[in-house]
Amino acid sequence: MRALTMYEIPGDPVVAELPDPSPAAGELLVRVASSSVNGYDAAVAGGLIPHPDPEFPFVLGKDFAGTVDAVGERVGRFSVGEAVFGVVTGAFPGTGALAEYVTVAEEFGVSRIPAGVTPTDAGALGLAGTAALDAISAIAPAPGDVVLISGATGGVGAFALQYALAAGADVIATARPGPPTEFVQGLSGDRARIVDHAGDLLAQVRAIAPEGVSAALHFAGNGMELAELVVAGGRMASTLGFGPEQAAGRGFGVTAVTASPDIATLNRLAADVASGAIRVPITRTYSLADAAEALADFNRGAVGKLAVALP
């Protein structure tokens, strides 16, 4: 099979020919139709996630959508031919989904693709959608809340933006002028106020919410700066390691979010896409041959989700 592969970390990924994997007991072999690039992939390739003795060749990719091609012993939830999607789990698996085939455990991180969801959308949904939904659950936005989303132009932020608006919250989103702002406007219409995170963020947010914000979502930027804007009794969630210790004494709760793509979460995300409640914010689709370019574009600050489609 072809796969986006690392032979050293940090290093430059290349598309290489590797042996086809086989499913072990309790695993599915999925023929991948679509995947996407996430911050995890960029961090691994850049050597920013420490782990002793990774096995090489190392295949990048967390998200997948495709068809069950074979099953291992003791598999009971899925059959050959079913359309599935999800997230490759494990702290440092080395067997990723930016490949023609991937093996995944059937018990966690995989579910069926429902009618009304395309493989391309499903392949860009799992990790960022889960992180967004977990963060939204942590702050529980409601009508009357003012929610600040730092990093609204990324995949996680774009999903969270849609969920916060659907919950009836007033949203302040960070985005640079030009295409990033247009991207946020395309998702939110005129329902989100947009501030430039490269400027004086505190002043811009306080001009909109003089008392501060009810909740903040930290997907980019300086967590301490965001914490300055949260009112006493408010809530904050971060996917970047900002937790209760950093916010001690500020009078509000902080949740450090680690995306957990359990079956219920994947089913919720897929159902919301199928119903039109949210949309997968894909801004460009690449071939597997160009997957390294997709990763480079991600590192250069491309907005939304970058999908990788396989024939």
Side-chain angles (χ1 to χ4, degrees), residues 4-255:
L4 187 64
T5 307
M6 305 287 297
Y7 289 94
E8 61 179 356
I9 293 176
D12 296 320
V14 295
V15 176
E17 287 283 347
L18 300 177
D20 292 350
S22 298
E27 289 186 339
L28 314 175
L29 175 66
V30 178
R31 183 178 180 88
V32 180
S34 182
S35 183
S36 77
V37 174
N38 288 286
Y40 180 90
D41 304 307
V44 167
L48 301 179
I49 297 180
H51 193 281
D53 301 323
E55 293 185 9
F56 296 103
F58 184 102
V59 179
L60 294 171
K62 298 290 279 183
D63 291 326
F64 68 89
T67 305
V68 178
D69 196 71
V71 298
E73 296 179 359
R74 299 194 298 276
V75 167
R77 288 180 56 215
F78 299 96
S79 301
V80 171
E82 288 191 286
V84 296
F85 80 107
V87 180
V88 178
T89 56
F92 208 75
T95 305
L98 284 164
E100 292 178 317
Y101 290 94
V102 66
T103 53
V104 295
E106 74 153 351
E107 63 186 14
F108 186 81
V110 58
S111 193
R112 292 173 178 84
I113 302 176
V117 179
T118 67
T120 301
D121 278 351
L125 179 58
L127 187 59
T130 294
L133 199 51
D134 288 351
I136 286 289
S137 297
I139 66 165
D145 280 330
V146 179
V147 177
L148 172 62
I149 302 177
S150 181
T153 58
V156 179
F159 283 119
L161 170 69
Q162 296 176 76
Y163 276 117
L165 290 170
D170 295 323
V171 173
I172 303 172
T174 67
R176 294 302 310 276
T181 288
E182 293 166 6
F183 171 76
V184 173
Q185 290 171 332
L187 289 173
S188 66
D190 59 358
R191 295 181 295 157
R193 303 286 294 273
I194 301 173
V195 295
D196 182 358
H197 57 82
D200 187 335
L201 183 64
L202 295 178
Q204 292 176 82
V205 173
R206 291 200 181 279
I208 299 169
E211 303 299 320
V213 300
S214 312
L217 293 174
H218 176 220
F219 306 134
N222 186 328
M224 292 299 293
E225 186 176 33
L226 298 186
E228 293 286 340
L229 292 162
V230 180
V231 300
R235 296 91 68 201
M236 183 172 172
S238 171
T239 58
L240 300 179
F242 189 89
E245 291 184 2
Q246 290 89 336
R250 292 184 176 272
F252 61 84
V254 181
T255 302

